[in-house]
Amino acid sequence: LAADFIDWLANHDWSYATSAAKLFGGALAMGFGAIGAGVGEGITAGEAIDSGARQPAAAGELVRIMLIGQAIAETSGIFALVIAFVLMFGAPEPSLEMVGASIGAGLAMGLGAIGSGVGAGIAGGKAAASIGRNPRTRGTVTMNMLIGQALTTSPAVFCLVVSVLLAFAQQLDKYMGSTLQVAVAAFAAGLCVGAGGIGPGFGTGLAAGGACDAIGRNPDVQTDVTRMMLVGGAVSQSTAIYAFVISLLLILFV
Amino acid sequence: MEEAIVRAAALLGAGLAMGFGAIGPGVGEGFAAGKACEGVAKRPEEAALLTRTMLIGQAVSESTGIYSLVIAILLIFVVKG
């Protein structure tokens, strides 16, 4: 029975399934990818409004920091949009491998954008709250927010790399392993880096948010706090890096 | 032929293990880092102690992520089907 199944997999005409999978992958990328940016930017806007209600005089500053913070929280959503277009309008070779790879690419970018979007939004929100509390700290807080958000976005960059590798992989079957293995490995690679990016993105956002909050309260220790944020955020990224490595192993060495 | 199916399942398992296993440590370690930053702002003179405590706490929080990594590597390289 298993032999028949493997034979059927190898000889089936996968052209319809591949077309369906690339559209489905595009939907997964943008559907999941919209979650993070949406929630994150909402958090930023919420904090800015809260702060503005208490300090109407700082409204101009708050709108400025809110828009900068939201623009960066949007980055991972834009990555997802790009991957969705690549998948929808690409023409992958019809094969079981590309069915796995297309769905994997969509999941990678979609899930991977969640953590980064929410995390960057938390950092932006805390920065707005800090500036509302003490508008004189806007320079240091904005700089810290930008550094923190850049770190927060890195899991989404790992996911972008894996998605592009999967979406443009035309010759996955060149590598060793049976058709079924290669297809499942491509899907698993996408799921791995995507799901693996959620926690680190969110966690680094918490670190960056804590740092923005701290600098707002005590601007004199900006250097120490930014260093603490970078060290803590880097440790928090480690699991995203493990997931990235496992997913590259699945793509390249299976 | 059964081997191909077992091997495919092992690879899927590796992706699931590392992917979902990475969520918890990432959030937890970030939470610790955020609190440490707030601590430094309140007591700048204790920065060294706070850094040490943060890193120890994060190392413990990392452990489950490392278990996931080990399991994923075992599933990729050791399970032959």
Side-chain angles (χ1 to χ4, degrees), chain A residues 1 8 55 57 65 68 73 79 108-110 114 122 147 156 162 164 185 203-205 221-222 233-234 243:
Chain A
L1 182 70
W8 177 81
Q55 299 256 16
I65 190 76
I68 298 173
F79 291 167
M109 195 63 247
I114 296 176
I122 292 173
I147 297 171
V162 169
V164 168
T204 312
V221 293
Q222 188 254 333

mmCIF file of all heavy atoms in Angstrom, chain A residues 1 8 55 57 65 68 73 79 108-110 114 122 147 156 162 164 185 203-205 221-222 233-234 243:
data_model
loop_
_atom_site.group_PDB
_atom_site.id
_atom_site.type_symbol
_atom_site.label_atom_id
_atom_site.label_comp_id
_atom_site.label_asym_id
_atom_site.label_seq_id
_atom_site.Cartn_x
_atom_site.Cartn_y
_atom_site.Cartn_z
ATOM 1 N N LEU A 1 0.838 -1.197 0.000
ATOM 2 C CA LEU A 1 0.000 0.000 0.000
ATOM 3 C C LEU A 1 0.881 1.258 0.000
ATOM 4 O O LEU A 1 0.661 2.175 -0.785
ATOM 5 C CB LEU A 1 -0.913 -0.009 1.230
ATOM 6 C CG LEU A 1 -1.878 1.179 1.307
ATOM 7 C CD1 LEU A 1 -2.944 1.074 0.223
ATOM 8 C CD2 LEU A 1 -2.548 1.219 2.692
ATOM 9 N N TRP A 8 2.126 6.626 -6.722
ATOM 10 C CA TRP A 8 1.081 7.554 -7.139
ATOM 11 C C TRP A 8 1.578 8.988 -6.987
ATOM 12 O O TRP A 8 1.385 9.828 -7.863
ATOM 13 C CB TRP A 8 -0.175 7.329 -6.292
ATOM 14 C CG TRP A 8 -1.270 8.275 -6.603
ATOM 15 C CD1 TRP A 8 -2.149 8.195 -7.638
ATOM 16 C CD2 TRP A 8 -1.593 9.466 -5.910
ATOM 17 N NE1 TRP A 8 -2.999 9.264 -7.621
ATOM 18 C CE2 TRP A 8 -2.679 10.062 -6.567
ATOM 19 C CE3 TRP A 8 -1.070 10.098 -4.764
ATOM 20 C CZ2 TRP A 8 -3.260 11.249 -6.146
ATOM 21 C CZ3 TRP A 8 -1.645 11.276 -4.344
ATOM 22 C CH2 TRP A 8 -2.732 11.843 -5.035
ATOM 23 N N GLN A 55 -1.867 64.543 28.263
ATOM 24 C CA GLN A 55 -0.978 65.672 27.967
ATOM 25 C C GLN A 55 -1.329 66.258 26.607
ATOM 26 O O GLN A 55 -0.568 66.063 25.656
ATOM 27 C CB GLN A 55 0.470 65.175 27.875
ATOM 28 C CG GLN A 55 0.985 64.550 29.117
ATOM 29 C CD GLN A 55 1.900 65.505 29.828
ATOM 30 O OE1 GLN A 55 1.901 66.711 29.542
ATOM 31 N NE2 GLN A 55 2.678 65.001 30.747
ATOM 32 N N ALA A 57 -0.943 68.980 25.333
ATOM 33 C CA ALA A 57 0.082 69.861 24.771
ATOM 34 C C ALA A 57 1.091 69.080 23.933
ATOM 35 O O ALA A 57 1.700 69.629 23.010
ATOM 36 C CB ALA A 57 0.793 70.607 25.894
ATOM 37 N N ILE A 65 5.644 60.434 16.851
ATOM 38 C CA ILE A 65 6.259 59.178 17.298
ATOM 39 C C ILE A 65 5.351 57.996 16.965
ATOM 40 O O ILE A 65 5.824 56.914 16.592
ATOM 41 C CB ILE A 65 6.599 59.227 18.809
ATOM 42 C CG1 ILE A 65 7.455 58.026 19.231
ATOM 43 C CG2 ILE A 65 5.374 59.254 19.695
ATOM 44 C CD1 ILE A 65 8.860 58.133 18.819
ATOM 45 N N ILE A 68 5.891 57.160 13.251
ATOM 46 C CA ILE A 68 7.190 56.507 13.015
ATOM 47 C C ILE A 68 7.131 55.062 13.520
ATOM 48 O O ILE A 68 7.525 54.119 12.830
ATOM 49 C CB ILE A 68 8.333 57.266 13.725
ATOM 50 C CG1 ILE A 68 8.470 58.687 13.181
ATOM 51 C CG2 ILE A 68 9.663 56.534 13.547
ATOM 52 C CD1 ILE A 68 9.471 59.530 13.947
ATOM 53 N N ALA A 73 6.413 49.080 12.474
ATOM 54 C CA ALA A 73 5.623 47.878 12.774
ATOM 55 C C ALA A 73 4.987 47.318 11.501
ATOM 56 O O ALA A 73 4.713 46.125 11.401
ATOM 57 C CB ALA A 73 4.552 48.204 13.813
ATOM 58 N N PHE A 79 6.457 42.830 4.113
ATOM 59 C CA PHE A 79 7.159 41.612 3.664
ATOM 60 C C PHE A 79 6.124 40.556 3.256
ATOM 61 O O PHE A 79 6.262 39.885 2.234
ATOM 62 C CB PHE A 79 8.024 41.015 4.783
ATOM 63 C CG PHE A 79 9.238 41.809 5.174
ATOM 64 C CD1 PHE A 79 9.934 41.496 6.348
ATOM 65 C CD2 PHE A 79 9.713 42.843 4.391
ATOM 66 C CE1 PHE A 79 11.052 42.208 6.719
ATOM 67 C CE2 PHE A 79 10.834 43.563 4.762
ATOM 68 C CZ PHE A 79 11.499 43.236 5.933
ATOM 69 N N ALA A 108 5.569 30.465 6.311
ATOM 70 C CA ALA A 108 6.776 31.060 6.892
ATOM 71 C C ALA A 108 6.590 32.562 7.051
ATOM 72 O O ALA A 108 6.746 33.113 8.142
ATOM 73 C CB ALA A 108 7.988 30.767 6.012
ATOM 74 N N MET A 109 6.216 33.221 5.970
ATOM 75 C CA MET A 109 6.144 34.682 6.040
ATOM 76 C C MET A 109 4.931 35.131 6.843
ATOM 77 O O MET A 109 4.990 36.116 7.584
ATOM 78 C CB MET A 109 6.109 35.248 4.620
ATOM 79 C CG MET A 109 6.388 36.723 4.558
ATOM 80 S SD MET A 109 8.035 37.139 5.144
ATOM 81 C CE MET A 109 7.683 38.052 6.622
ATOM 82 N N GLY A 110 3.823 34.389 6.707
ATOM 83 C CA GLY A 110 2.616 34.797 7.430
ATOM 84 C C GLY A 110 2.801 34.699 8.933
ATOM 85 O O GLY A 110 2.622 35.671 9.665
ATOM 86 N N ILE A 114 3.837 37.794 12.486
ATOM 87 C CA ILE A 114 2.979 38.071 13.649
ATOM 88 C C ILE A 114 3.794 38.665 14.802
ATOM 89 O O ILE A 114 3.503 39.758 15.298
ATOM 90 C CB ILE A 114 2.252 36.786 14.116
ATOM 91 C CG1 ILE A 114 1.310 36.282 13.030
ATOM 92 C CG2 ILE A 114 1.473 37.050 15.399
ATOM 93 C CD1 ILE A 114 0.625 34.971 13.367
ATOM 94 N N ILE A 122 4.552 47.172 20.281
ATOM 95 C CA ILE A 122 4.709 47.382 21.727
ATOM 96 C C ILE A 122 5.809 48.410 21.983
ATOM 97 O O ILE A 122 5.649 49.325 22.803
ATOM 98 C CB ILE A 122 5.053 46.048 22.440
ATOM 99 C CG1 ILE A 122 3.865 45.104 22.372
ATOM 100 C CG2 ILE A 122 5.449 46.289 23.890
ATOM 101 C CD1 ILE A 122 4.159 43.717 22.890
ATOM 102 N N ILE A 147 16.146 51.468 17.326
ATOM 103 C CA ILE A 147 17.090 50.343 17.461
ATOM 104 C C ILE A 147 16.329 49.090 17.890
ATOM 105 O O ILE A 147 16.505 48.004 17.338
ATOM 106 C CB ILE A 147 18.186 50.681 18.497
ATOM 107 C CG1 ILE A 147 19.015 51.882 18.045
ATOM 108 C CG2 ILE A 147 19.109 49.487 18.721
ATOM 109 C CD1 ILE A 147 19.969 52.396 19.107
ATOM 110 N N ALA A 156 11.279 38.447 11.257
ATOM 111 C CA ALA A 156 10.540 38.566 9.990
ATOM 112 C C ALA A 156 11.512 38.523 8.806
ATOM 113 O O ALA A 156 11.159 38.016 7.738
ATOM 114 C CB ALA A 156 9.729 39.854 9.962
ATOM 115 N N VAL A 162 13.695 32.657 4.077
ATOM 116 C CA VAL A 162 13.240 31.279 3.842
ATOM 117 C C VAL A 162 12.105 31.256 2.809
ATOM 118 O O VAL A 162 12.072 30.404 1.927
ATOM 119 C CB VAL A 162 12.804 30.627 5.168
ATOM 120 C CG1 VAL A 162 12.075 29.319 4.927
ATOM 121 C CG2 VAL A 162 14.017 30.383 6.034
ATOM 122 N N VAL A 164 11.559 33.338 0.367
ATOM 123 C CA VAL A 164 12.089 33.575 -0.982
ATOM 124 C C VAL A 164 12.787 32.319 -1.490
ATOM 125 O O VAL A 164 12.591 31.902 -2.640
ATOM 126 C CB VAL A 164 13.041 34.800 -0.973
ATOM 127 C CG1 VAL A 164 13.828 34.882 -2.261
ATOM 128 C CG2 VAL A 164 12.241 36.076 -0.771
ATOM 129 N N ALA A 185 9.528 18.257 3.761
ATOM 130 C CA ALA A 185 10.595 19.041 4.376
ATOM 131 C C ALA A 185 10.435 20.520 4.035
ATOM 132 O O ALA A 185 10.649 21.388 4.886
ATOM 133 C CB ALA A 185 11.959 18.542 3.917
ATOM 134 N N GLY A 203 8.873 38.810 22.110
ATOM 135 C CA GLY A 203 9.742 38.994 23.277
ATOM 136 C C GLY A 203 10.679 40.176 23.118
ATOM 137 O O GLY A 203 10.847 40.987 24.039
ATOM 138 N N THR A 204 11.298 40.294 21.944
ATOM 139 C CA THR A 204 12.204 41.419 21.724
ATOM 140 C C THR A 204 11.427 42.722 21.797
ATOM 141 O O THR A 204 11.954 43.741 22.256
ATOM 142 C CB THR A 204 12.901 41.279 20.360
ATOM 143 O OG1 THR A 204 13.399 39.963 20.261
ATOM 144 C CG2 THR A 204 14.050 42.232 20.228
ATOM 145 N N GLY A 205 10.176 42.690 21.356
ATOM 146 C CA GLY A 205 9.329 43.879 21.479
ATOM 147 C C GLY A 205 9.118 44.252 22.939
ATOM 148 O O GLY A 205 9.143 45.434 23.296
ATOM 149 N N VAL A 221 20.368 57.294 32.068
ATOM 150 C CA VAL A 221 20.967 55.963 31.959
ATOM 151 C C VAL A 221 20.726 55.357 30.575
ATOM 152 O O VAL A 221 20.756 54.146 30.409
ATOM 153 C CB VAL A 221 20.419 55.005 33.040
ATOM 154 C CG1 VAL A 221 20.871 55.446 34.406
ATOM 155 C CG2 VAL A 221 18.911 54.927 32.972
ATOM 156 N N GLN A 222 20.522 56.228 29.588
ATOM 157 C CA GLN A 222 20.179 55.756 28.245
ATOM 158 C C GLN A 222 21.169 54.721 27.721
ATOM 159 O O GLN A 222 20.767 53.684 27.184
ATOM 160 C CB GLN A 222 20.093 56.965 27.308
ATOM 161 C CG GLN A 222 19.566 56.662 25.927
ATOM 162 C CD GLN A 222 20.658 56.692 24.894
ATOM 163 O OE1 GLN A 222 21.657 57.379 25.058
ATOM 164 N NE2 GLN A 222 20.474 55.930 23.839
ATOM 165 N N GLY A 233 17.647 41.411 24.220
ATOM 166 C CA GLY A 233 16.948 41.148 22.959
ATOM 167 C C GLY A 233 17.684 40.111 22.131
ATOM 168 O O GLY A 233 17.072 39.245 21.502
ATOM 169 N N ALA A 234 19.019 40.161 22.149
ATOM 170 C CA ALA A 234 19.798 39.197 21.370
ATOM 171 C C ALA A 234 19.585 37.793 21.913
ATOM 172 O O ALA A 234 19.439 36.836 21.147
ATOM 173 C CB ALA A 234 21.279 39.561 21.405
ATOM 174 N N ALA A 243 15.509 28.189 14.916
ATOM 175 C CA ALA A 243 14.456 27.805 13.969
ATOM 176 C C ALA A 243 14.915 28.063 12.535
ATOM 177 O O ALA A 243 14.647 27.267 11.627
ATOM 178 C CB ALA A 243 13.173 28.566 14.268
#
